[in-house]
Amino acid sequence: MSSIDLNPPRGMRDFLPKDWVFREKLMQVFNDVSKTNGFLHYETPVVDSYELFERKAGEEISDQLYDFTDKSNRHISLRAELTPSMVRLYAKNKESLPFPAKLYSIGQCFRYERATKGRKREHYQWNLDILGENNISAEAWILSTAIQVMNKLGLNENDFQIHVSNRALLSDFLLSIGIEKERHSELMIIIDKKDKIPAEVMKEMMEEIKIFSSQIEKIIEFLDKKTLEEIRPFVQKDSLALQELEHLFAAAKALNIAPYLRIDTSIIRGLSYYTGIVFEAFDTNKEFRAIFGGGRYNSLFDRMTGKDIPACGLGFGDVVIEELIASKFGRTETFPGIQVILGQFEDALQGKALHLSAEFTKNDISSDMLLCSLPPKKFFTQANKRGAKFAAYLAPEEAKENTFVLKNMESGEQKILPLEDISSILDFIKA
RNA sequence: GCGAAUAUAGCUCAGUUGGUUAGAGCGCUGGUUUGUGGUACCAGAUGUCGUGAGUUCGAAUCUCAUUAUUCGCCCCA
């Protein structure tokens, strides 16, 4: 018989139980923090129509969609992100959902591209969105929620920083130095690379697209500004974009998250649907890719559904945060422990062991069982390897008295207890 | 899509100019202890050397193809 390739498909991951421990905790934190901040959970399919994900604005993201034709010749794609499906869901069900609404979801997303550090062909992403709210405190609320997640994972303002900008601000500035709107896109692609390439190379790239050197000087100067006060002279006095950033920082101060935020006018967020404030979180040393990112996308609903709903949101993937946490705390290498493991010396005693496990279940004690009979040495070795806190062993001598051995695997303390005396059993386990 | 590196035991990795029977540590199995795990000591098994072809008297080692992984570029929700 020919054997199959045991590797998962390119860029996809298998998770061993020990690998999943972290992800399970991460998702638990995502869920808990979303709920305690008023976000409602929704789910959408892993596949959706190709049309939903396709970008019409000349972007070539469509090439990276994992798409196929189904048996009825429908053009289907695995989701590359959660936002389009969420937009579809909200536009369809708006009347039965709150308005404005806070929504969240955690889902596996796929993209067909070369895997690199921090990017696979598949990842889990947490999405937070606030829909129907123009007030900039929505952005602050989302950032605060994400920061709570980071704090629960043991990371604080010394570990990461959120770089904040406003696309409209950059746009206003470029207009003010005489660069017309049609040229902003190609220029923003260059500005987005600011931290990746040397300043000289960036200048050359700008020269290539016919930006005057006097303009380049001003752009570089603008990109170096780190505070709102420094930016003020570069834009008009009544700049709405600047007011939005002021509003965000005021709200951040009130939410006690100001230490996490910094102005970084080079943040662009690709060429996607963002219209206003944009942000990306980086580890302090900028060793890794962005941990999470997002911003305001006020025209996406209108473009996709014809319904004019302002929105802002955030996407937070599992890959970079795992790398960051592994570098700070190391990787988890253990199984999650079970409270009690049961076993028996011979098959005749298995009924009693099974019955005892049912008692544990009834009392909310997690239990595992070695289903084949084992001599004590092997049983306790197995109990130890599986990380059980207690081991319950049914052996002939005790069974004659209708008792069994219950051992604390950490302290080594051991008791012979009657099988029916549930309260004593629970006392020993809970002590 | 482009470029580079890597692939040897369950895991992390050695393996000389191509040369006899393929190595270590961890883990695994057994024993010291036939009713008690972790520590220690002793012993044992690890395997299609990623896959397929080629060169050669002889290939883990050289060549080509192929698959996967990692890093960089392109791109980026």
Side-chain angles (χ1 to χ4, degrees):
Chain A
M1 193 178 132
S2 67
S3 59
I4 55 165
D5 184 354
L6 300 179
N7 293 306
R10 166 159 262 187
M12 306 286 179
R13 300 171 289 175
D14 282 333
F15 300 102
L16 295 177
K18 71 179 172 63
D19 301 327
W20 195 254
V21 171
F22 167 76
R23 226 156 306 274
E24 201 163 45
K25 184 192 167 190
L26 181 66
M27 294 192 193
Q28 183 73 50
V29 174
F30 285 156
N31 275 302
D32 289 349
V33 174
S34 300
K35 292 197 167 83
T36 56
N37 285 273
F39 290 85
L40 304 175
H41 196 165
Y42 67 93
E43 286 285 326
T44 55
V46 176
V47 295
D48 228 312
S49 72
Y50 177 84
E51 190 185 21
L52 186 71
F53 299 110
E54 191 185 16
R55 298 287 167 71
K56 278 132 191 155
E59 293 173 57
E60 294 180 1
I61 293 174
S62 308
D63 293 342
Q64 296 189 352
L65 290 175
Y66 239 117
D67 66 319
F68 59 95
T69 307
D70 75 6
K71 291 178 181 180
S72 299
N73 223 25
R74 297 183 189 91
H75 197 178
I76 300 289
S77 176
L78 297 183
R79 61 187 175 199
E81 50 174 333
L82 298 176
T83 308
S85 303
M86 182 277 298
V87 166
R88 178 176 61 65
L89 175 141
Y90 192 70
K92 183 171 158 60
N93 300 287
K94 184 167 166 287
E95 304 312 321
S96 49
L97 286 165
F99 185 89
K102 294 189 182 72
L103 296 179
Y104 87 94
S105 192
I106 304 163
Q108 201 173 15
C109 299
F110 303 83
R111 74 187 99 216
Y112 196 87
E113 67 167 356
R114 203 67 152 183
T116 57
K117 190 175 176 57
R119 281 173 100 77
K120 315 275 179 198
R121 283 189 174 179
E122 151 277 316
H123 72 152
Y124 288 87
Q125 192 178 73
W126 174 47
N127 261 45
L128 276 185
D129 292 281
I130 298 183
L131 312 174
E133 185 54 75
N134 262 315
N135 195 297
I136 299 300
S137 56
E139 276 89 329
W141 194 263
I142 280 177
L143 289 175
S144 164
T145 306
I147 289 166
Q148 289 167 45
V149 164
M150 296 296 276
N151 290 161
K152 284 206 173 191
L153 295 172
L155 301 168
N156 60 36
E157 71 264 31
N158 298 319
D159 302 305
F160 73 100
Q161 286 281 308
I162 301 170
H163 297 234
V164 181
S165 185
N166 190 334
R167 287 190 133 191
L169 182 80
L170 183 57
S171 224
D172 285 355
F173 163 70
L174 293 177
L175 283 173
S176 78
I177 59 168
I179 298 172
E180 57 275 24
K181 214 162 183 112
E182 295 70 42
R183 302 174 66 194
H184 289 186
S185 293
E186 53 179 352
L187 187 51
M188 282 185 183
I189 291 174
I190 298 169
I191 292 172
D192 193 35
K193 295 182 198 302
K194 186 188 157 220
D195 284 332
K196 291 183 191 166
I197 59 176
E200 283 310 310
V201 178
M202 192 162 84
K203 279 185 188 173
E204 284 166 25
M205 291 173 82
M206 289 192 199
E207 280 163 9
E208 272 174 40
I209 61 165
K210 308 274 191 297
I211 307 288
F212 300 128
S213 58
S214 62
Q215 291 171 325
I216 293 175
E217 300 280 318
K218 280 184 187 160
I219 292 170
I220 302 235
E221 203 185 331
F222 177 77
L223 294 179
D224 275 341
K225 299 308 167 201
K226 300 272 185 285
T227 67
L228 293 172
E229 289 313 310
E230 288 174 0
I231 289 169
R232 204 176 301 281
F234 285 83
V235 293
Q236 288 179 317
K237 213 172 178 186
D238 58 349
S239 163
L240 189 60
L242 190 62
Q243 284 172 28
E244 287 179 350
L245 283 170
E246 283 167 347
H247 187 162
L248 177 68
F249 275 77
K253 201 173 173 191
L255 285 164
N256 298 324
I257 58 169
Y260 290 94
L261 269 52
R262 61 163 69 170
I263 292 287
D264 181 348
T265 47
S266 68
I267 295 294
I268 307 285
R269 297 291 295 155
L271 269 181
S272 47
Y273 34 67
Y274 295 102
T275 55
I277 285 176
V278 285
F279 53 84
E280 285 182 356
F282 290 96
D283 61 288
T284 308
N285 302 328
K286 283 204 130 183
E287 187 185 337
F288 302 97
R289 284 172 178 272
I291 305 161
F292 60 80
R296 181 160 286 274
Y297 51 100
N298 277 353
S299 55
L300 184 66
F301 266 94
D302 189 29
R303 229 166 60 206
M304 284 181 62
T305 68
K307 300 185 188 196
D308 189 10
I309 300 171
C312 66
L314 163 148
F316 189 138
D318 67 322
V319 179
V320 175
I321 189 66
E322 182 181 26
E323 288 173 349
L324 180 58
I325 284 182
S327 82
K328 182 166 183 189
F329 302 109
R331 288 183 190 276
T332 311
E333 291 290 347
T334 53
F335 294 117
I338 194 103
Q339 280 175 288
V340 187
I341 190 158
L342 298 104
Q344 74 279 339
F345 179 78
E346 57 195 2
D347 290 356
L349 297 172
Q350 192 179 53
K352 290 183 190 231
L354 286 167
H355 186 69
L356 185 57
S357 81
E359 290 294 334
F360 286 133
T361 302
K362 200 191 286 178
N363 287 283
D364 278 331
I365 304 287
S366 64
S367 62
D368 186 12
M369 184 155 180
L370 296 175
L371 300 165
C372 64
S373 298
L374 290 173
K377 188 185 178 73
K378 290 196 177 173
F379 169 72
F380 285 104
T381 303
Q382 284 292 323
N384 186 55
K385 270 186 212 161
R386 289 165 196 245
K389 295 182 183 67
F390 289 85
Y393 187 59
L394 282 284
E397 204 171 296
E398 289 81 12
K400 278 182 216 155
E401 316 286 325
N402 216 26
T403 59
F404 74 106
V405 176
L406 185 58
K407 180 168 184 173
N408 181 326
M409 295 301 285
E410 280 160 30
S411 68
E413 189 190 353
Q414 166 175 318
K415 278 189 174 179
I416 313 279
L417 292 169
L419 280 163
E420 322 79 64
D421 189 359
I422 302 301
S423 62
S424 295
I425 295 170
L426 296 181
D427 284 350
F428 186 62
I429 287 176
K430 287 175 178 167

